[in-house]
Amino acid sequence: MPDLNSEAILAAVASREEATISFLQDLLRAPSVNPWFGDPAEISAEEKVQDVFEARFRDLDADVIDRWEPQADELAHRADGPGYYPGRDFTGRPNVVAVFKGSAPTGKAVMIQGHCDVVQVGSHWTEDPFGGERKEGKIFGRGAVDMKGGMAAAVGAIEALRDAGVTLREDLIVASVADEEAGGMGTLSLVDRGYRAPGGAIVPEATNLNIAPLCRGILWGRVTLHGRAGHIELERKPWREGGAVDAIDYGHRLLDAIRERNAQWANDPLKNHQYLPIPCQIYVAQLDAGEFPTTYAASCTLTFNAQYLPVQKDANGLGSIVKHELEELFGGFVTGDDWFDEHPPTVEWLVDADCGETPDSEPVVTATLAAARQVGLSSELQGCMSHTDMGLQIDDGTPTINFGPGHMGVAHQADEHVLETDLLAATKVMALTIAELCGAEASSTGSHH
Ligand SMILES: [Zn+2]
């Protein structure tokens, strides 16, 4: 790409910085709490914010605007894969896609794909979570980081390319999907509708301006260890004679076994990745056991979070290999115990959020990294430790990365905010990257329309 072009693009991004910020404020002022989070006072679903996106896509003269409410029934043929939740209701929760047709497309369409829903507000805010307030170089609001900031940067980048008179050769698709924060069915519907970008996709999750060609899979599960209640202060009879069995004692031993397994995982190549600073682990997040101070616990339930890497994805794109590994751990940490053998643990799986990885050599990886360096950022390749919607895209033939402004540590928290400087930097990187991946030509007049 000629330098003149880059300079014109960067100048256009800078000169419309205020417009990008005010678009982010518009997005933040359209509450889009995912209904899964359930506080009726907050429920607004995704419709209002999708109206804001759609109006902007119309202003940009998108060639196609596609708006639809996903239908769970129509996605049932994907029930064995990631992102499918039977019966999920998308009333008032549309996906919106804009397509900007390229001047000479060769089938290497490029996509920006983000989610428009946000998590519940929660407590301890000192700013209005839906006010889009701007103070001291920060913009506050639920979703500022996750991920309305990233989507505002993407739209600002497209507008800057237009201002700079750049013509794109390949098709550019911009998708704003519903329901990422509770599973990813909006993205499943997008993929199922045939939207694919062999030229590469950017999911603008907050990566602190790093380039994330990887995300981890996340399993949530609940294991219940079974005992038998009985008076805790009395001498205990053998269980075959009706004696009590202490489920908390099993729980204690399972916690030890998990700690031991985590020490093994810390050194296991299958549980580590060069782009992640931490290994996959099994973390117990909730403990629940016992009823009274006088009684042995009849059951002990541990709710856990365990992570997995793409190398351990199963043929359906999910985490059954690691589930099986954990089930063996839960069934095998006690030996030579008849009660345990006859009353084995019960395992319930709550969530399996898939993972994905794009090779470093893909243009979407190299172009985004080069653009970040070109604008003076010290961005690196670094995986997302949490799940994002990238896996569904990758498995469908779209090389996908995550790249966006802000730090995930600020997402889902009170006073979520993004720095204006990060927003501007992300907009510059996205504009250069889209120009590179789509193949940009300066139009002869340097203006549009
Ligand atoms: Zn997100």
Side-chain angles (χ1 to χ4, degrees), residues 115 117 145-147 180-181 203-206 387-388 408 411-412:
H115 64 84
D117 58 321
V145 164
D146 186 9
M147 60 189 290
E180 188 270 350
E181 295 289 3
V203 176
E205 291 283 5
H387 157 89
T388 79
M408 262 303 167
H412 302 203

Side-chain angles (χ1 to χ4, degrees), residues 13-156:
V13 171
S15 70
R16 37 177 321 115
E17 183 179 6
E18 285 300 314
T20 303
I21 289 171
S22 86
F23 181 56
L24 172 55
Q25 291 175 304
D26 290 346
L27 295 177
L28 293 169
R29 289 168 185 153
S32 54
V33 176
N34 189 308
W36 189 86
F37 294 96
D39 176 353
E42 288 173 1
I43 286 180
S44 53
E46 289 92 335
E47 197 158 43
K48 282 196 203 101
V49 77
Q50 295 293 50
D51 289 345
V52 178
F53 277 110
E54 185 179 338
R56 203 70 166 205
F57 295 153
R58 290 199 186 281
D59 287 348
L60 272 163
D61 293 325
D63 296 291
V64 176
I65 291 181
D66 186 10
R67 176 175 176 135
W68 76 98
E69 288 174 354
Q71 302 294 329
D73 293 352
E74 291 172 11
L75 296 169
H77 64 282
R78 292 176 176 269
D80 292 338
Y84 179 74
Y85 298 85
R88 187 155 292 185
D89 185 3
F90 281 87
T91 307
R93 313 182 59 205
N95 283 351
V96 175
V97 173
V99 182
F100 301 89
K101 294 224 166 106
S103 59
T106 67
K108 292 258 176 191
V110 172
M111 182 158 29
I112 304 288
Q113 193 256 308
H115 64 84
C116 67
D117 58 321
V118 297
V119 297
Q120 80 285 352
V121 171
S123 46
H124 305 297
W125 283 74
T126 61
E127 305 292 340
D128 178 354
F130 301 118
E133 286 169 73
R134 184 177 178 188
K135 266 187 202 169
E136 294 161 4
K138 297 171 186 165
I139 302 142
F140 290 86
R142 173 57 82 228
V145 164
D146 186 9
M147 60 189 290
K148 292 178 175 177
M151 286 301 277
V155 171

Side-chain angles (χ1 to χ4, degrees), residues 318-341:
L318 285 168
S320 71
I321 294 167
V322 177
K323 282 184 179 175
H324 186 68
E325 183 179 354
L326 293 174
E327 283 165 1
E328 283 193 332
L329 171 68
F330 301 148
F333 72 98
V334 172
T335 50
D337 178 332
D338 292 345
W339 169 273
F340 188 84
D341 292 345

Side-chain angles (χ1 to χ4, degrees), residues 75 150 163 224 233 309 330 332:
L75 296 169
D163 288 355
T224 298
E233 292 146 20
L309 292 169
F330 301 148

